[in-house]
Coordinates of all heavy atoms in Angstrom, one line a residue:
G1 N 0.8 -1.2 0.0 CA 0.0 0.0 0.0 C 0.9 1.3 0.0 O 2.1 1.2 0.2
D2 N 0.2 2.4 -0.2 CA 0.9 3.6 -0.3 C 1.1 4.2 1.1 O 0.3 4.0 2.0 CB 0.1 4.7 -1.1 CG 0.0 4.3 -2.5 OD1 0.9 3.6 -3.0 OD2 -0.9 4.8 -3.2
A3 N 2.2 4.8 1.3 CA 2.6 5.4 2.6 C 3.0 6.8 2.4 O 3.6 7.2 1.4 CB 3.7 4.6 3.3
H4 N 2.7 7.7 3.4 CA 3.1 9.1 3.4 C 3.8 9.3 4.7 O 3.2 9.1 5.8 CB 1.9 10.0 3.2 CG 2.3 11.4 3.2 ND1 2.7 12.1 2.1 CD2 2.3 12.3 4.2 CE1 2.9 13.4 2.4 NE2 2.7 13.5 3.7
L5 N 5.0 9.9 4.7 CA 5.8 10.1 5.9 C 6.0 11.6 5.9 O 6.6 12.2 5.0 CB 7.1 9.4 5.9 CG 8.0 9.5 7.1 CD1 7.3 9.0 8.3 CD2 9.3 8.7 6.8
A6 N 5.7 12.3 7.0 CA 5.9 13.7 7.3 C 6.7 13.8 8.6 O 6.3 13.3 9.6 CB 4.6 14.5 7.3
L7 N 7.8 14.6 8.5 CA 8.7 14.7 9.7 C 9.0 16.2 9.9 O 9.1 17.0 8.9 CB 10.0 14.0 9.5 CG 9.9 12.5 9.2 CD1 11.3 12.0 8.7 CD2 9.6 11.8 10.5
R8 N 9.2 16.6 11.1 CA 9.7 17.9 11.4 C 11.0 17.7 12.1 O 11.0 17.1 13.2 CB 8.8 18.8 12.2 CG 9.4 20.2 12.5 CD 8.5 21.1 13.3 NE 9.0 22.4 13.4 CZ 9.9 22.8 14.3 NH1 10.3 21.9 15.3 NH2 10.4 24.0 14.4
L9 N 12.1 18.3 11.6 CA 13.4 18.2 12.3 C 13.7 19.5 13.0 O 13.4 20.6 12.5 CB 14.5 17.9 11.2 CG 14.3 16.7 10.4 CD1 15.5 16.6 9.4 CD2 14.2 15.5 11.2
S10 N 14.2 19.3 14.3 CA 14.6 20.5 15.1 C 15.8 20.1 15.9 O 16.1 19.0 16.2 CB 13.4 20.9 15.9 OG 13.1 19.9 16.8
A11 N 16.5 21.2 16.3 CA 17.6 21.1 17.2 C 17.1 20.9 18.6 O 15.9 21.1 18.9 CB 18.5 22.3 17.1
A12 N 18.0 20.7 19.5 CA 17.6 20.5 20.9 C 16.9 21.7 21.5 O 16.0 21.5 22.4 CB 18.9 20.2 21.8
D13 N 17.2 22.9 21.0 CA 16.5 24.1 21.5 C 15.2 24.3 20.8 O 14.5 25.3 21.0 CB 17.4 25.3 21.3 CG 17.8 25.6 19.9 OD1 17.2 25.0 19.0 OD2 18.5 26.6 19.7
G14 N 14.8 23.4 19.9 CA 13.5 23.6 19.2 C 13.6 24.3 17.9 O 12.6 24.4 17.2
A15 N 14.7 24.9 17.5 CA 14.9 25.6 16.3 C 14.8 24.6 15.1 O 15.3 23.5 15.1 CB 16.2 26.3 16.2
A16 N 14.1 25.0 14.0 CA 13.9 24.2 12.9 C 15.2 23.8 12.2 O 16.1 24.7 12.1 CB 13.0 24.9 11.9
T17 N 15.4 22.6 11.8 CA 16.5 22.1 11.0 C 16.2 22.2 9.6 O 15.4 21.4 9.1 CB 17.0 20.7 11.5 OG1 17.3 20.8 12.9 CG2 18.2 20.3 10.7
T18 N 16.9 23.1 8.8 CA 16.6 23.2 7.4 C 17.9 22.8 6.6 O 19.0 22.7 7.2 CB 16.2 24.6 7.0 OG1 17.3 25.5 7.4 CG2 14.9 25.0 7.7
G19 N 17.7 22.4 5.4 CA 18.8 22.1 4.5 C 19.4 20.7 4.8 O 20.5 20.4 4.4
A20 N 18.7 19.9 5.5 CA 19.2 18.5 5.9 C 19.0 17.6 4.7 O 18.2 17.8 3.8 CB 18.4 18.0 7.1
T21 N 19.8 16.5 4.7 CA 19.7 15.4 3.7 C 19.1 14.2 4.5 O 19.7 13.8 5.5 CB 21.0 15.1 3.1 OG1 21.5 16.2 2.4 CG2 20.9 13.9 2.2
L22 N 18.0 13.7 4.1 CA 17.3 12.6 4.7 C 17.4 11.4 3.8 O 17.2 11.5 2.6 CB 15.9 12.9 5.0 CG 15.5 13.6 6.3 CD1 16.0 15.0 6.2 CD2 14.1 13.6 6.6
T23 N 17.7 10.2 4.3 CA 17.7 9.0 3.6 C 16.7 8.1 4.3 O 16.8 7.8 5.5 CB 19.1 8.3 3.6 OG1 20.0 9.2 3.0 CG2 19.0 7.0 2.8
I24 N 15.6 7.7 3.6 CA 14.6 6.9 4.2 C 14.6 5.5 3.7 O 14.6 5.3 2.4 CB 13.2 7.6 4.0 CG1 13.2 8.9 4.7 CG2 12.1 6.7 4.4 CD1 12.0 9.8 4.4
T25 N 14.7 4.5 4.6 CA 14.9 3.1 4.1 C 13.8 2.2 4.7 O 13.9 1.9 5.9 CB 16.3 2.6 4.5 OG1 17.3 3.5 4.1 CG2 16.5 1.2 4.0
P26 N 12.7 1.9 4.0 CA 11.7 1.0 4.5 C 12.3 -0.4 4.4 O 13.0 -0.8 3.4 CB 10.6 1.2 3.5 CG 10.8 2.5 2.8 CD 12.3 2.6 2.8
W27 N 12.0 -1.3 5.4 CA 12.6 -2.6 5.5 C 11.6 -3.5 6.1 O 11.0 -3.2 7.1 CB 13.9 -2.6 6.2 CG 14.6 -3.9 6.2 CD1 14.8 -4.8 7.2 CD2 15.4 -4.4 5.1 NE1 15.5 -5.9 6.8 CE2 15.9 -5.6 5.5 CE3 15.6 -3.9 3.8 CZ2 16.7 -6.4 4.6 CZ3 16.3 -4.7 2.9 CH2 16.9 -6.0 3.4
M28 N 11.4 -4.7 5.5 CA 10.6 -5.8 6.1 C 11.5 -6.9 6.7 O 12.0 -7.7 5.9 CB 9.6 -6.3 5.1 CG 8.6 -7.3 5.6 SD 7.4 -7.8 4.4 CE 6.0 -8.2 5.4
P29 N 11.7 -6.9 8.0 CA 12.7 -7.8 8.6 C 12.4 -9.3 8.3 O 13.3 -10.1 8.0 CB 12.7 -7.5 10.0 CG 12.2 -6.1 10.1 CD 11.2 -5.9 9.0
S30 N 11.1 -9.6 8.4 CA 10.7 -11.1 8.3 C 11.0 -11.6 6.9 O 11.2 -12.8 6.8 CB 9.3 -11.3 8.7 OG 8.4 -10.6 7.8
M31 N 10.9 -10.8 5.9 CA 11.2 -11.2 4.5 C 12.5 -10.8 4.0 O 12.9 -11.1 2.9 CB 10.1 -10.6 3.6 CG 8.7 -11.0 4.0 SD 8.4 -12.8 4.0 CE 8.2 -13.0 2.2
N32 N 13.3 -10.0 4.8 CA 14.6 -9.6 4.5 C 14.7 -8.8 3.2 O 15.5 -9.1 2.3 CB 15.6 -10.8 4.4 CG 17.0 -10.4 4.6 OD1 17.4 -9.4 5.2 ND2 17.9 -11.1 3.9
H33 N 13.7 -7.9 3.0 CA 13.8 -7.0 1.8 C 13.2 -5.7 2.1 O 12.5 -5.5 3.1 CB 13.0 -7.7 0.7 CG 11.5 -7.7 0.8 ND1 10.7 -6.6 0.6 CD2 10.7 -8.8 1.1 CE1 9.5 -7.0 0.8 NE2 9.5 -8.3 1.1
G34 N 13.4 -4.7 1.3 CA 12.9 -3.4 1.3 C 11.9 -3.2 0.2 O 11.3 -4.1 -0.3
I35 N 11.9 -1.9 -0.3 CA 11.0 -1.6 -1.4 C 11.9 -1.4 -2.6 O 13.1 -1.2 -2.5 CB 10.1 -0.3 -1.1 CG1 11.0 0.9 -0.9 CG2 9.2 -0.6 0.1 CD1 10.3 2.2 -0.9
M36 N 11.3 -1.3 -3.8 CA 12.0 -1.1 -5.0 C 12.3 0.4 -5.1 O 11.5 1.2 -4.9 CB 11.2 -1.5 -6.2 CG 10.8 -3.0 -6.2 SD 12.0 -4.1 -7.0 CE 12.2 -3.4 -8.6
G37 N 13.6 0.7 -5.5 CA 13.9 2.1 -5.7 C 14.2 2.9 -4.4 O 14.1 2.4 -3.3
E38 N 14.6 4.1 -4.6 CA 14.9 5.0 -3.5 C 13.7 5.9 -3.2 O 12.9 6.1 -4.1 CB 16.1 5.9 -3.9 CG 17.4 5.2 -4.0 CD 18.6 6.1 -4.2 OE1 18.5 7.3 -3.9 OE2 19.6 5.7 -4.7
V39 N 13.6 6.3 -2.0 CA 12.5 7.2 -1.5 C 13.0 8.6 -1.7 O 14.0 9.1 -1.1 CB 12.2 6.9 0.0 CG1 11.1 7.8 0.5 CG2 11.8 5.4 0.2
A40 N 12.2 9.4 -2.5 CA 12.4 10.8 -2.7 C 11.9 11.6 -1.5 O 10.8 11.3 -1.0 CB 11.8 11.3 -4.0
V41 N 12.7 12.5 -1.0 CA 12.3 13.4 0.1 C 12.2 14.8 -0.3 O 13.2 15.3 -1.0 CB 13.3 13.2 1.3 CG1 12.9 14.1 2.5 CG2 13.4 11.8 1.7
A42 N 11.2 15.5 0.0 CA 11.0 16.9 -0.3 C 11.0 17.7 0.9 O 10.4 17.4 1.9 CB 9.7 17.1 -1.0
E43 N 11.8 18.8 0.9 CA 11.9 19.7 2.1 C 10.8 20.8 1.9 O 10.8 21.5 0.8 CB 13.3 20.3 2.2 CG 13.4 21.3 3.4 CD 14.8 21.8 3.6 OE1 15.7 21.5 2.8 OE2 14.9 22.6 4.5
G44 N 10.1 21.0 2.9 CA 9.1 22.1 3.0 C 9.7 23.2 3.8 O 10.9 23.4 3.9
E45 N 8.8 24.0 4.4 CA 9.2 25.2 5.2 C 9.3 24.8 6.7 O 8.6 23.9 7.1 CB 8.2 26.3 5.0 CG 8.2 26.9 3.6 CD 7.3 28.1 3.5 OE1 6.9 28.6 4.5 OE2 7.0 28.4 2.3
G46 N 10.1 25.5 7.4 CA 10.2 25.3 8.9 C 10.6 24.0 9.4 O 10.2 23.6 10.5
G47 N 11.5 23.3 8.6 CA 12.1 22.1 9.1 C 11.2 20.9 8.8 O 11.4 19.8 9.3
F48 N 10.2 21.0 8.0 CA 9.3 19.9 7.6 C 9.8 19.2 6.3 O 10.3 19.9 5.4 CB 7.8 20.4 7.3 CG 7.1 20.7 8.6 CD1 7.1 22.0 9.1 CD2 6.4 19.7 9.3 CE1 6.4 22.2 10.3 CE2 5.8 19.9 10.5 CZ 5.8 21.2 11.0
Y49 N 9.7 17.9 6.3 CA 10.2 17.1 5.2 C 9.1 16.0 5.0 O 8.5 15.5 5.9 CB 11.5 16.4 5.6 CG 12.6 17.3 5.8 CD1 12.8 18.0 7.0 CD2 13.5 17.6 4.8 CE1 13.8 18.9 7.2 CE2 14.6 18.5 5.0 CZ 14.7 19.1 6.2 OH 15.7 20.0 6.4
E50 N 8.9 15.7 3.7 CA 7.9 14.7 3.3 C 8.4 13.7 2.3 O 9.3 14.0 1.5 CB 6.7 15.4 2.7 CG 5.9 16.3 3.6 CD 4.7 16.9 3.0 OE1 3.8 16.1 2.5 OE2 4.5 18.1 3.0
A51 N 7.9 12.5 2.4 CA 8.2 11.4 1.5 C 7.0 10.5 1.3 O 6.2 10.4 2.2 CB 9.4 10.6 2.1
A52 N 6.9 10.0 0.1 CA 5.9 9.0 -0.2 C 6.5 7.8 -0.9 O 7.5 7.9 -1.6 CB 4.8 9.6 -1.1
F53 N 6.0 6.6 -0.6 CA 6.5 5.4 -1.1 C 5.4 4.3 -1.0 O 4.4 4.5 -0.4 CB 7.8 4.9 -0.5 CG 7.8 5.0 1.0 CD1 7.4 3.9 1.8 CD2 8.1 6.2 1.7 CE1 7.4 4.0 3.2 CE2 8.1 6.3 3.1 CZ 7.8 5.2 3.8
A54 N 5.6 3.1 -1.6 CA 4.6 2.1 -1.6 C 5.3 0.8 -1.0 O 6.4 0.4 -1.3 CB 4.1 1.8 -3.0
Y55 N 4.5 0.2 -0.1 CA 4.9 -1.1 0.4 C 4.4 -2.2 -0.5 O 3.3 -2.2 -1.1 CB 4.3 -1.3 1.8 CG 5.0 -0.4 2.8 CD1 4.3 0.8 3.2 CD2 6.2 -0.6 3.3 CE1 5.0 1.7 4.1 CE2 6.8 0.2 4.2 CZ 6.2 1.4 4.6 OH 6.8 2.3 5.4
S56 N 5.2 -3.3 -0.6 CA 4.9 -4.4 -1.5 C 3.9 -5.4 -0.9 O 3.3 -6.2 -1.6 CB 6.1 -5.1 -1.9 OG 6.9 -5.6 -0.8
M57 N 3.8 -5.4 0.5 CA 2.9 -6.4 1.1 C 2.6 -6.0 2.6 O 3.4 -5.2 3.1 CB 3.6 -7.8 1.1 CG 4.8 -7.9 1.9 SD 5.6 -9.6 1.9 CE 6.0 -9.8 0.2
P58 N 1.5 -6.5 3.1 CA 1.2 -6.2 4.5 C 2.2 -7.0 5.4 O 2.8 -8.0 5.0 CB -0.2 -6.7 4.7 CG -0.4 -7.8 3.6 CD 0.5 -7.4 2.5
G59 N 2.3 -6.5 6.7 CA 3.1 -7.2 7.7 C 3.9 -6.2 8.5 O 3.7 -5.0 8.4
A60 N 4.8 -6.7 9.3 CA 5.7 -5.9 10.1 C 6.8 -5.3 9.3 O 7.6 -6.0 8.6 CB 6.2 -6.7 11.3
W61 N 6.9 -4.0 9.3 CA 7.9 -3.2 8.6 C 8.7 -2.3 9.6 O 8.2 -2.1 10.7 CB 7.3 -2.3 7.5 CG 6.8 -3.1 6.3 CD1 5.7 -3.8 6.2 CD2 7.5 -3.1 5.1 NE1 5.6 -4.3 4.9 CE2 6.7 -3.9 4.2 CE3 8.7 -2.6 4.6 CZ2 7.1 -4.2 2.9 CZ3 9.1 -2.9 3.3 CH2 8.3 -3.7 2.5
E62 N 9.8 -1.8 9.1 CA 10.5 -0.8 9.8 C 10.9 0.3 8.8 O 11.0 0.0 7.6 CB 11.9 -1.3 10.4 CG 11.8 -2.4 11.3 CD 13.2 -3.0 11.7 OE1 14.2 -2.7 11.0 OE2 13.2 -3.7 12.7
V63 N 11.0 1.5 9.2 CA 11.5 2.6 8.4 C 12.6 3.3 9.1 O 12.4 3.7 10.3 CB 10.4 3.6 7.9 CG1 9.8 4.4 9.0 CG2 10.9 4.5 6.8
T64 N 13.8 3.3 8.5 CA 14.9 4.0 9.1 C 15.1 5.3 8.4 O 15.1 5.4 7.2 CB 16.2 3.2 8.9 OG1 16.0 1.9 9.6 CG2 17.4 3.9 9.5
V65 N 15.2 6.4 9.3 CA 15.3 7.7 8.7 C 16.7 8.2 9.2 O 17.0 8.3 10.4 CB 14.3 8.7 9.3 CG1 14.5 10.1 8.8 CG2 12.9 8.2 9.0
A66 N 17.6 8.3 8.2 CA 19.0 8.8 8.5 C 19.0 10.3 8.1 O 18.6 10.7 7.0 CB 20.0 8.0 7.7
V67 N 19.6 11.1 9.0 CA 19.6 12.6 8.8 C 21.0 13.1 8.8 O 21.8 12.7 9.7 CB 18.8 13.3 9.9 CG1 18.9 14.8 9.7 CG2 17.4 12.8 10.0
S68 N 21.4 13.8 7.8 CA 22.7 14.5 7.8 C 22.4 16.0 7.7 O 21.8 16.5 6.8 CB 23.5 14.1 6.5 OG 24.7 14.7 6.5
A69 N 22.8 16.7 8.8 CA 22.5 18.1 9.0 C 23.4 18.7 9.9 O 24.1 18.1 10.7 CB 21.1 18.3 9.5
T70 N 23.5 20.1 9.9 CA 24.2 20.8 10.9 C 23.3 20.9 12.1 O 22.2 21.2 12.0 CB 24.5 22.2 10.4 OG1 25.2 22.1 9.2 CG2 25.3 23.1 11.3
P71 N 23.7 20.5 13.3 CA 25.1 20.4 13.7 C 25.7 18.9 13.7 O 26.8 18.7 14.1 CB 25.1 20.8 15.2 CG 23.7 20.4 15.7 CD 22.8 20.5 14.4
G72 N 24.9 17.9 13.2 CA 25.5 16.6 13.2 C 24.5 15.6 12.5 O 23.4 16.0 12.1
D73 N 24.9 14.4 12.4 CA 24.1 13.3 11.8 C 23.4 12.5 12.9 O 23.9 12.3 14.0 CB 25.0 12.4 11.0 CG 25.7 13.2 9.9 OD1 25.3 14.3 9.6 OD2 26.7 12.6 9.3
D74 N 22.3 11.8 12.5 CA 21.6 11.0 13.5 C 20.7 10.1 12.6 O 20.5 10.3 11.4 CB 20.7 11.8 14.4 CG 20.5 11.1 15.7 OD1 20.8 9.9 15.8 OD2 19.9 11.7 16.7
Q75 N 20.1 9.0 13.3 CA 19.1 8.2 12.6 C 18.2 7.6 13.6 O 18.6 7.4 14.8 CB 19.8 7.1 11.7 CG 20.4 5.9 12.4 CD 20.9 4.9 11.4 OE1 21.3 5.2 10.3 NE2 20.8 3.6 11.8
V76 N 17.0 7.2 13.2 CA 16.1 6.5 14.0 C 15.4 5.4 13.2 O 15.2 5.6 12.0 CB 15.0 7.5 14.6 CG1 14.2 8.2 13.5 CG2 14.1 6.8 15.6
T77 N 15.1 4.3 13.8 CA 14.3 3.2 13.1 C 13.0 3.1 13.9 O 12.9 2.9 15.1 CB 15.1 1.9 13.2 OG1 16.3 2.1 12.5 CG2 14.3 0.8 12.5
L78 N 11.9 3.2 13.1 CA 10.5 3.1 13.6 C 9.8 1.9 13.1 O 9.7 1.7 11.9 CB 9.8 4.4 13.1 CG 10.4 5.7 13.4 CD1 9.7 6.8 12.6 CD2 10.5 6.0 14.9
P79 N 9.4 1.0 14.0 CA 8.7 -0.2 13.6 C 7.2 0.1 13.5 O 6.6 0.9 14.2 CB 8.9 -1.2 14.8 CG 9.1 -0.3 16.0 CD 9.7 1.0 15.4
F80 N 6.5 -0.6 12.5 CA 5.1 -0.4 12.4 C 4.5 -1.5 11.6 O 5.2 -2.3 11.0 CB 4.7 1.0 11.8 CG 5.3 1.2 10.4 CD1 4.5 0.9 9.3 CD2 6.6 1.6 10.3 CE1 5.1 1.0 8.0 CE2 7.1 1.8 9.0 CZ 6.4 1.5 7.9
E81 N 3.2 -1.6 11.6 CA 2.5 -2.7 10.9 C 1.7 -2.1 9.7 O 1.1 -1.1 9.8 CB 1.5 -3.3 11.8 CG 0.9 -4.6 11.4 CD 1.8 -5.8 11.5 OE1 2.8 -5.8 12.3 OE2 1.6 -6.8 10.8
V82 N 1.8 -2.8 8.5 CA 1.1 -2.5 7.3 C -0.1 -3.5 7.2 O 0.2 -4.7 7.2 CB 2.0 -2.5 6.1 CG1 1.2 -2.3 4.8 CG2 3.1 -1.5 6.2
Y83 N -1.3 -3.0 7.1 CA -2.5 -3.8 7.0 C -3.0 -3.9 5.6 O -2.9 -3.0 4.9 CB -3.6 -3.3 8.0 CG -3.1 -3.4 9.4 CD1 -2.7 -2.3 10.1 CD2 -3.2 -4.6 10.1 CE1 -2.3 -2.4 11.4 CE2 -2.9 -4.7 11.4 CZ -2.4 -3.6 12.1 OH -2.0 -3.7 13.4

C-alpha cells in the first residue's frame, strides 16, 4: 500500500533544522527485503520534510530515517504494521 511520511526536524533548542539530507529506508525484517527504488524526500518550510512510497505487502515493517544536517548526523528506526 501507499505510505506518506511527514517529519519535522529540530535542534535540541526547538529551532527548525533546514537544509538537511534525509535517507529513508523501508525494510521488512521477516522477509529480508525493502522496497524497489529510492525514496524521494521533499523539504518544505520550517524544518518539515515529506516522502511518499509504496509497500509491497502487509506485515511488520521498519522505516529507518537517517539525517545528515548541521550540527550533526543521526538516525532513528521506527517499527510499524502495514495492514
Side-chain angles (χ1 to χ4, degrees):
D2 293 335
H4 178 83
L5 181 63
L7 303 166
R8 180 179 186 272
L9 301 182
S10 62
D13 65 2
T17 299
T18 59
T21 299
L22 278 67
T23 303
I24 297 175
T25 308
W27 189 253
M28 188 176 206
S30 66
M31 300 299 282
N32 199 33
H33 71 77
I35 64 169
M36 299 272 302
E38 293 186 19
V39 177
V41 179
E43 180 175 359
E45 295 183 15
F48 284 93
Y49 297 81
E50 295 186 53
F53 46 93
Y55 292 100
S56 57
M57 65 180 64
W61 284 80
E62 300 173 345
V63 65
T64 298
V65 179
V67 179
S68 179
T70 301
D73 301 343
D74 205 351
Q75 79 175 31
V76 62
T77 299
L78 308 166
F80 60 95
E81 191 77 21
V82 174
Y83 295 98

